[in-house]
Amino acid sequence: MKSITLIIIMSLFAYMPGKAATGDVLRDAEPVHRALKAVTDIMVHDIYSPPVASRIYAYVSVAGYEAAVPADQRYLSLAGQLHSLQPAPSPALGKPCDFTVAAVEAMLVTAKALVISEDSIERFRLQSIQEFRKRGITEDQLQQSLVYGDAVAAHILAWAAKDYYRESKSLPQYTVTEDDASWKPTPPAYMKAIEPNWNKLRTMVVDSAPAFKPAPAVTYAADTGSVFYKNAVAVYKAGLQLTAEQIDIAKFWDCNPFNLNVRGHVMFATKKISPGGHWINITRIACEKMQAGVLQTLEAYAWVAVTINDAFISCWDEKYRSRVVRPETFINRFIDEAWTPLLQTPPFPEYTSGHSVVSMAAATILNKLFGQSFEFLDASEMEFGLPARNFSSFEAAAREAAISRFYGGIHYMPSIENGVKEGAMLGLFIAAKLITRK
């Protein structure tokens, strides 16, 4: 085990660029950032669950990266590295191609096929084409670039069609049982369990869904001397004495795509980005701070997105294996029937904490790409009315995201602690395995 860890650590230090690649042939990454932000906005509008959003980010980001790779011989394709991904089509020989245009086209065409609001994506795509025209690109070069981008998108979508996502929808859904230990729907919406078969999907880098299976969940017990009961009491007491800072942290990392508000007889939803969307935006912040060019930006998005994708598959595999009941359900029955958590309880089992797994996995990848002491101002939640927060590193942000779930009253502490470990190991594995630079 020590030798494996040493190899992983050495590979991290062997790669870390820490700054934008010098001489990047494609400098202006703003069209790429805008394209992925448009996809995020549409996913917020369409209300995708965190796992589904992670899948969309992964395919869109890989499409953009694969379309741009031929522009710079220093970068390597992800074909043969991501499970079942074959080499993408090459641009036509002797034909002019703008690889930024091709990458944006590949991203948006891929996204259009994966979201509900296809028309919104198409409108943005047409606007992007007009903006590229204003930059002085010739019509011949534009059309050749679009044709190539479309070919890459078709290639990625054919790959996506075989990841078992569609088939998983026809599998048996979660059945609520009478035993006290298993997850039950929670107020106010009492929504059914989300994506109980997510572990059936093809991973992109890790070997399988249970490859990073965490330590077993604490054994359920309702007697007051049990470890499970004491963990619930800790959540309960924390919720009664939250500081202003803890409340701010919990709300900042809420990332609930569908928060149901109840005002008397009126119910309405508040939409936000998913946990994966938050880390995709942190990736943008890092790229912009480092003035990364198009290829380095697409590389960062692809690395983070495929990691988030596999992190959700890993986490959901454990959630529906252990099926742990949420603190709100347990506390209301055995401790205080009037208690409510600060945050709305998500509609899926408790163990492990998704934010903990995904955040630490993403932070581990960003450590590799930008360094372990990367300071940044995270303004991801400002558009949702929350102030920006400063972080001294990606890991510091990930650990705050993890503990926010305890402050929010939706996770027991072991779920957070073991989720952080699960995410770190998964992230280290991916960081050691993928190679995108010669």
Side-chain angles (χ1 to χ4, degrees):
M1 186 65 178
K2 289 183 178 179
S3 62
I4 294 175
T5 303
L6 179 60
I7 291 172
I8 290 174
I9 292 173
M10 289 177 66
S11 71
L12 288 176
F13 282 104
Y15 182 90
M16 252 190 269
K19 62 179 180 180
T22 56
D24 194 330
V25 297
L26 306 174
R27 289 302 311 158
D28 185 8
E30 184 57 25
V32 171
H33 291 308
R34 291 183 63 251
L36 201 52
K37 180 60 168 64
V39 174
T40 294
D41 291 343
I42 289 166
M43 285 200 288
V44 169
H45 175 271
D46 288 350
I47 314 177
Y48 286 98
S49 69
V52 175
S54 75
R55 177 178 180 266
I56 296 173
Y57 279 126
Y59 288 118
V60 169
S61 298
V62 171
Y65 178 75
E66 290 297 301
V69 160
D72 192 331
Q73 62 182 2
R74 294 171 299 176
Y75 286 81
L76 299 172
S77 169
L78 290 168
Q81 299 190 69
L82 304 185
H83 297 319
S84 302
L85 179 61
Q86 300 299 312
S90 300
L93 291 175
K95 300 288 186 178
C97 183
D98 185 302
F99 289 97
T100 302
V101 174
V104 170
E105 175 75 355
M107 294 169 70
L108 294 175
V109 172
T110 300
K112 181 180 175 180
L114 298 176
V115 302
I116 297 171
S117 298
E118 297 179 19
D119 291 346
S120 297
I121 288 285
E122 181 62 13
R123 283 194 296 270
F124 183 85
R125 189 184 76 86
L126 295 176
Q127 291 172 7
S128 297
I129 292 173
Q130 291 302 320
E131 290 175 7
F132 282 125
R133 283 195 174 100
K134 293 177 182 178
R135 293 182 176 217
I137 186 173
T138 67
E139 192 63 26
D140 183 41
Q141 187 178 22
L142 176 65
Q143 294 304 320
Q144 291 295 333
S145 304
L146 295 176
V147 168
Y148 169 56
D150 290 345
V152 174
H155 178 76
I156 296 300
L157 288 170
W159 174 52
K162 298 179 181 179
D163 70 355
Y164 210 72
Y165 172 72
R166 292 178 182 174
E167 292 83 348
S168 72
K169 297 300 182 181
S170 63
L171 295 175
Q173 299 300 299
Y174 180 89
T175 300
V176 178
T177 58
E178 295 298 324
D179 66 296
D180 295 337
S182 297
W183 179 84
K184 307 290 190 300
T186 52
Y190 295 95
M191 295 174 63
K192 66 179 183 179
I194 286 178
E195 301 298 344
N197 299 303
W198 202 251
N199 66 339
K200 303 297 191 300
L201 269 65
R202 177 188 62 206
T203 55
M204 291 191 170
V205 186
V206 304
D207 295 333
S208 63
F212 294 94
K213 183 180 177 181
V218 174
T219 301
Y220 178 88
D223 58 280
T224 58
S226 68
V227 174
F228 195 95
Y229 188 94
K230 290 177 180 179
N231 287 336
V233 169
V235 176
Y236 172 68
K237 288 184 176 180
L240 296 178
Q241 52 192 17
L242 291 171
T243 66
E245 174 71 359
Q246 290 170 338
I247 292 172
D248 287 345
I249 289 172
K251 290 182 177 180
F252 183 79
W253 293 103
D254 184 17
C255 301
N256 185 346
F258 186 82
N259 187 83
L260 190 61
N261 302 277
V262 180
R263 300 289 186 272
H265 296 291
V266 178
M267 302 178 73
F268 61 95
T270 301
K271 302 177 183 180
K272 294 183 181 180
I273 53 175
S274 66
H278 194 139
W279 281 96
I280 288 292
N281 200 62
I282 289 175
T283 303
R284 172 177 181 162
I285 291 168
C287 287
E288 290 181 333
K289 181 176 180 179
M290 298 305 296
Q291 298 181 331
V294 173
L295 272 161
Q296 189 186 14
T297 294
L298 287 166
E299 175 191 47
Y301 279 139
W303 275 69
V304 172
V306 301
T307 299
I308 291 172
N309 177 83
D310 282 9
F312 270 109
I313 293 175
S314 175
C315 182
W316 253 241
D317 178 63
E318 178 57 41
K319 280 185 179 294
Y320 287 97
R321 177 173 34 250
S322 54
R323 299 160 56 111
V324 175
V325 66
R326 287 280 182 169
E328 183 172 14
T329 303
F330 186 90
I331 292 170
N332 286 167
R333 179 169 182 182
F334 296 106
I335 301 173
D336 182 351
E337 65 179 11
W339 183 86
T340 57
L342 175 66
L343 301 181
Q344 193 169 114
T345 300
F348 37 80
E350 190 271 341
Y351 188 80
T352 52
S353 159
H355 238 330
S356 302
V357 177
V358 170
S359 295
M360 190 54 68
T364 301
I365 294 301
L366 289 168
N367 278 347
K368 176 170 183 173
L369 296 175
F370 297 102
Q372 298 185 9
S373 300
F374 192 96
E375 298 182 7
F376 65 98
L377 178 68
D378 185 0
S380 302
E381 300 292 330
M382 288 188 68
E383 63 181 294
F384 304 107
L386 298 171
R389 295 184 66 82
N390 281 292
F391 295 101
S392 60
S393 67
F394 299 117
E395 181 177 342
R399 292 192 178 279
E400 184 178 281
I403 195 64
S404 74
R405 316 313 268 172
F406 181 75
Y407 299 153
I410 59 178
H411 277 295
Y412 311 106
M413 192 59 77
S415 183
I416 293 164
E417 295 171 342
N418 291 333
V420 165
K421 294 176 183 177
E422 181 183 349
M425 290 305 297
L426 184 146
L428 285 170
F429 177 84
I430 294 176
K433 191 165 185 178
L434 290 185
I435 302 174
T436 47
R437 304 278 185 93
K438 291 182 179 179

